[in-house]
Amino acid sequence: MPEWRSADQPMTIYLLRHGIAETAGAGVDDAARALTDEGRKKLRALLKLARGAGVKPERILTSPLVRAVQTAELAAEALGCQARPIRTEVLAGGSPEDVWSEIRTHKDAGSLLLAGHEPQFSQLAAYLLAAPELVVDFKKGALVAIEMEQFGPRPHGALRWMLVPKLAA
């Protein structure tokens, strides 16, 4: 596939921050923290709204941390994604440049959903939008849509929308 996608074939990248998870604390393995019942409920409501808006990712990439994997699995089910979520270490704290490199390996997909964490996702959104100074308030369970038309060394996407859990309540 060429470095430049035609205007009629942009890729939509969805960034989905994991839902509300168990509280971190002394002696608690951060990687094993799971979604709470409230976190699952809010995610399902947001994903129902997203599905109604036509969101249907071809592929899902997820951080290997339990709460992100659970978020990715809920998204796959709610949004009708047939492919199983793919776990990737880069979504467990890699740099925006590293995540962009991973995204570029999936540029044949028309849409890609990434499930992950803060502060990585607010930095990643700014990077994908070629606006490094941009501040994104990425709430737990929020979903951002960014459209990409080119896949060169540096991204330059367009923000399409952001859904926050309060909109789905």
Side-chain angles (χ1 to χ4, degrees):
M1 170 130 325
E3 291 296 308
W4 184 265
R5 293 172 68 98
S6 66
D8 62 339
Q9 294 181 338
M11 173 195 268
T12 302
I13 299 171
Y14 301 103
L15 303 179
L16 176 60
R17 184 176 176 199
H18 68 77
I20 300 167
E22 297 169 332
T23 305
V28 176
D29 179 8
D30 183 59
R33 290 179 27 218
L35 295 176
T36 64
D37 289 341
E38 178 186 9
R40 288 177 185 277
K41 180 181 175 184
K42 287 184 175 187
L43 266 174
R44 282 188 183 106
L46 180 119
L47 292 166
K48 182 179 179 183
L49 186 63
R51 183 174 183 136
V55 174
K56 187 173 182 179
E58 289 180 32
R59 292 186 200 139
I60 297 176
L61 304 180
T62 182
S63 155
L65 279 62
V66 171
R67 58 194 177 275
V69 171
Q70 291 173 331
T71 296
E73 290 169 346
L74 282 171
E77 179 183 331
L79 301 174
C81 180
Q82 300 302 313
R84 294 181 50 93
I86 302 165
R87 297 178 194 203
T88 176
E89 288 293 329
V90 75
L91 290 176
S95 71
E97 294 84 0
D98 291 341
V99 177
W100 177 239
S101 291
E102 178 74 20
I103 289 169
R104 290 176 72 203
T105 68
H106 297 276
K107 64 186 174 186
D108 61 312
S111 57
L112 187 64
L113 184 141
L114 282 60
H117 315 274
E118 273 297 284
Q120 183 186 44
F121 269 20
S122 56
Q123 295 165 357
L124 179 59
Y127 180 77
L128 293 175
L129 296 168
E133 301 301 316
L134 180 69
V135 176
V136 180
D137 185 10
F138 224 115
K139 302 289 186 195
K140 289 178 183 161
L143 179 65
V144 170
I146 298 173
E147 192 169 281
M148 306 299 293
E149 290 191 14
Q150 58 181 335
F151 287 86
R154 307 274 315 192
H156 191 91
L159 177 66
R160 293 300 175 219
W161 47 260
M162 180 177 198
L163 288 175
V164 294
K166 283 188 177 184
L167 294 174

